[in-house]
Amino acid sequence: NAGVTQTPKFQVLKTGQSMTLQCAQDMNHEYMSWYRQDPGMGLRLIHYSVGAGITDQGEVPNGYNVSRSTTEDFPLRLLSAAPSQTSVYFCASRLAGGPHNEQFFGPGTRLTVL
Amino acid sequence: GENVEQHPSTLSVQEGDSAVIKCTYSDSASNYFPWYKQELGKRPQLIIDIRSNVGEKKDQRIAVTLNKTAKHFSLHITETQPEDSAVYFCAAENTGNQFYFGTGTSLTVIP
């Protein structure tokens, strides 16, 4: 049971490049989310999904796309990277069966946009 | 949307003393309040949580209190140890299953 996994761990992009951050979980969790963490700002929700085929915007969705074709995977796409997207990105998942189930985080991806 | 404020941003205590971190939230419909501990370079990990129908919850040296009327909740760590040094985040979940986080408290326990 690997829990929540993310790849890559580190990435450097040039302004305007696109890339996909991968997230996978093997716990059969319905809910998955993407957060970004910036110094002094805590974690902010980018996009989330309550199940395969369903996604919704969070607090800071601009510049990012997501899709959820399977229960296990929830990739985050940066369409045209900007320096303001330099951040640490965390994926998280949890069960949907109860109202307040623990959210499990992946190890994070540190992204730098030059 | 929800707005979660967390204080203080930094906290230093002597080993064995208590530490208290406070958070306020704005959406009265928020109903779940977890606390996370994040060590340097690591992922956030849940340490304790409380639901809106409970006023207090304790787990060994860690406790959380919730005042729904005032819309604030607090983390209490007693008998602090050096391994408690980390950044602590509070969060609030709204009825749309979205989590809003505080800006974090960097706790240093001085041996």
Side-chain angles (χ1 to χ4, degrees):
Chain A
N1 193 335
V4 181
T5 58
Q6 291 182 237
T7 56
K9 290 186 178 179
F10 302 94
Q11 183 71 50
V12 179
L13 293 177
K14 294 181 179 178
T15 297
Q17 287 184 316
S18 62
M19 79 158 295
T20 299
L21 307 185
Q22 301 291 344
C23 174
Q25 51 89 14
D26 60 359
M27 298 175 282
N28 206 29
H29 287 174
E30 294 90 345
Y31 287 179
M32 296 187 74
S33 304
W34 275 104
Y35 296 89
R36 60 177 288 173
Q37 184 174 32
D38 302 296
M41 299 188 73
L43 288 89
R44 292 182 293 169
L45 182 65
I46 304 171
H47 285 285
Y48 65 103
S49 169
V50 300
I54 305 170
T55 63
D56 209 342
Q57 296 182 352
E59 196 179 354
V60 288
N62 292 340
Y64 307 95
N65 273 357
V66 292
S67 60
R68 184 94 181 270
S69 56
T70 67
T71 299
E72 294 78 20
D73 300 298
F74 190 43
L76 177 72
R77 282 182 289 277
L78 280 70
L79 309 173
S80 177
S84 61
Q85 294 180 303
T86 293
S87 188
V88 179
Y89 292 84
F90 287 100
C91 178
S93 74
R94 65 188 181 107
L95 286 170
H100 313 298
N101 289 305
E102 178 178 355
Q103 188 164 219
F104 294 86
F105 285 86
T109 295
R110 184 173 295 273
L111 176 68
T112 301
V113 182
L114 303 175
Chain B
E2 175 65 279
N3 181 43
V4 177
E5 295 190 355
Q6 182 172 348
H7 300 280
S9 57
T10 60
L11 180 60
S12 292
V13 299
Q14 292 288 333
E15 182 177 359
D17 287 349
S18 295
V20 181
I21 302 170
K22 299 182 179 181
C23 288
T24 61
Y25 60 99
S26 60
D27 185 352
S28 57
S30 290
N31 51 22
Y32 173 61
F33 307 91
W35 285 89
Y36 295 88
K37 176 182 181 181
Q38 187 178 29
E39 297 177 343
L40 189 63
K42 301 295 181 78
R43 72 192 80 185
Q45 293 199 305
L46 181 73
I47 56 171
I48 196 166
D49 55 11
I50 191 166
R51 303 175 186 183
S52 58
N53 59 348
V54 175
E56 184 174 359
K57 182 177 178 180
K58 189 174 182 180
D59 182 3
Q60 299 183 340
R61 298 187 295 109
I62 295 174
V64 56
T65 58
L66 171 65
N67 183 326
K68 284 183 60 180
T69 303
K71 290 187 285 188
H72 68 70
F73 56 112
S74 300
L75 177 71
H76 304 253
I77 306 174
T78 59
E79 301 172 22
T80 54
Q81 301 167 2
E83 51 266 38
D84 293 329
S85 296
V87 179
Y88 291 82
F89 291 96
C90 63
E93 181 188 13
N94 66 9
T95 52
N97 302 121
Q98 298 176 29
F99 283 82
Y100 291 83
F101 284 78
T103 50
T105 297
S106 178
L107 173 65
T108 301
V109 180
I110 304 165

